[in-house]
Amino acid sequence: MPEPIEVRKIPLHSVSDASELAALIDDGVLDADRVIAVIGKTEGNGGVNDYTRIIADRAFREVLVAKGSRSVEEVKQIPIVWSGGTDGVISPHATVFATLPADKAVRTDEPRLTVGFAMSDRISPEDIGRTAMIEKVAAAVRTAMDRAGITDPADVHYVQTKTPLLTIDTIRDAKSRGQRVWTENTHESMDLSNATTALGIATALGEIDQPADDQVMHDLSLFSAVASCSSGVELDQAQIVVVGNVRGIGGRYRIGHDVMRDALDQDGIWSAIRDAGLDLPERPHHSDLEGRLVNVFLKCEADPTGAVRDRRNAMLDDSDVHWHRQIKACVGGVAAAVTGDPAVFVSVAAVHQGPSGGGPVAAIVDLGGTLEG
């Protein structure tokens, strides 16, 4: 049986700041040695060369080493997933997950938050965009589910991943071994890596049958409703964090999910919050949340039709500002308006993640409760 979870959202005061994580540990809210995952937004460009992710990663791992008893090598194994780019009003922040001793958690038999993580086998440059990567991701998702104590895929509400993308060096490596890569456009490889990973998640959870190579990035009817995939230069494996609910572990938190049908679909966000267990009025306002929403996690994508609700937009034709940044700012504003908080996790490049032109939404809420005994 997995242990109960404590989860907190904290601001980043600068790209190298981990002071709020240190404060949670110093105040006894979290134990450094029990931190099992971090998912956050940094203020870089969100592109191939976004090194703010590496800077933030180092800052958080240094705090966990300094304030705990785990070695540097042990702390390196903790999944810390950074999504670069806080376009528009999105505020840099991190959501920190830690286990609790059973006697420190609210006791309940209702479904409560659980987290499992895993690392896939090494993903070669030539795997990206192909069945080999789908299979490696799917295997790691199943391992993470097992570690979370989840047996029914319906209890998985959010799968956050970080996977490698292609760089000039890795493309050169593949060629030196006589291999061909899916694309030599390194920026395009970000979308490709995310999309392939999402298909691996969908396969593992039984949302789709395993697709063929020629369906990757092309058959947009295939998607996962719970996948949130990011990619970067930091690693050569798929880093998998599975978040769901199980009964019997106790705790205060619960997660739910839904999808946004398009970039303006506020109802999709509210539906995810309701699915997590909050009772809300028919037409809710962020004041109805009463501080019980920990965070929302969204993926977004410019609609390939070039329109939203039958109104044409110019995102995909804009040569000055890449559509990645425009759609992220748009959906970030929608999510912040719903939650009343600009510290929302919004990530771009969502092919095969939610319906085309929309994206998946996960919400974690605090259902409260008191300790017994």
Side-chain angles (χ1 to χ4, degrees), residues 41 46 83-84 190-191 194 229-230 298-302 323-325 327-328 346-351 353:
K41 292 292 300 182
S83 170
M190 179 182 299
D191 296 42
N194 292 357
C229 307
S230 292
L298 304 90
K299 290 293 293 188
C300 59
E301 184 82 6
W323 66 262
H324 274 195
R325 310 203 73 165
I327 192 65
K328 194 187 308 175
V346 179
S347 177
V348 75
V351 176
Q353 297 151 80

Side-chain angles (χ1 to χ4, degrees), residues 22-242:
L24 286 177
I25 296 167
D26 290 342
D27 293 343
V29 177
L30 304 177
D31 183 327
D33 290 337
R34 285 181 167 273
V35 172
I36 58 170
V38 178
I39 298 170
K41 292 292 300 182
T42 66
E43 60 207 74
N45 61 24
V48 175
N49 66 334
D50 184 353
Y51 298 107
T52 65
R53 298 183 296 238
I54 297 174
I55 295 169
D57 187 88
R58 179 179 299 171
F60 270 60
R61 293 187 196 278
E62 286 176 350
V63 166
L64 294 177
V65 170
K67 294 189 175 292
S69 62
R70 290 184 285 193
S71 68
V72 172
E73 288 304 313
E74 288 172 320
V75 168
K76 281 183 180 179
Q77 301 307 308
I78 300 169
I80 299 182
V81 180
W82 295 107
S83 170
T86 51
D87 304 89
V89 300
I90 300 171
S91 185
H93 70 280
T95 305
V96 183
F97 299 83
T99 60
L100 283 176
D103 62 352
K104 299 293 185 183
V106 173
R107 296 189 179 97
T108 176
D109 290 326
E110 291 299 307
R112 289 295 184 266
L113 190 71
T114 183
V115 178
F117 61 91
M119 299 291 282
S120 76
D121 291 341
R122 181 179 179 274
I123 294 172
S124 301
E126 61 270 22
D127 292 341
I128 299 174
R130 298 186 172 118
T131 303
M133 182 174 178
I134 292 172
E135 292 173 342
K136 290 175 182 179
V137 168
V141 169
R142 295 184 186 105
T143 298
M145 284 177 60
D146 184 62
R147 292 174 177 172
I150 297 174
T151 56
D152 184 349
D155 291 326
V156 175
H157 294 273
Y158 177 43
V159 183
Q160 178 63 56
T161 66
K162 193 76 175 186
T163 51
L165 45 71
L166 293 170
T167 66
I168 296 300
D169 286 341
T170 59
I171 293 169
R172 186 184 300 118
D173 168 67
K175 288 182 174 180
S176 74
R177 293 181 287 103
Q179 300 295 324
R180 295 180 59 190
V181 295
W182 199 93
T183 179
E184 294 191 22
N185 182 321
T186 57
H187 199 274
E188 181 185 36
S189 78
M190 179 182 299
D191 296 42
L192 175 66
S193 180
N194 292 357
T196 313
T197 305
L199 291 175
I201 295 167
T203 300
L205 299 180
E207 294 176 285
I208 62 170
D209 294 329
Q210 181 165 310
D213 284 353
D214 61 3
Q215 292 177 289
V216 178
M217 295 288 287
H218 292 115
D219 186 349
L220 301 185
S221 70
L222 303 178
F223 64 84
S224 171
V226 299
S228 176
C229 307
S230 292
S231 50
V233 299
E234 309 97 301
L235 71 176
D236 62 2
Q237 298 168 279
Q239 185 172 260
I240 310 287
V241 181
V242 167

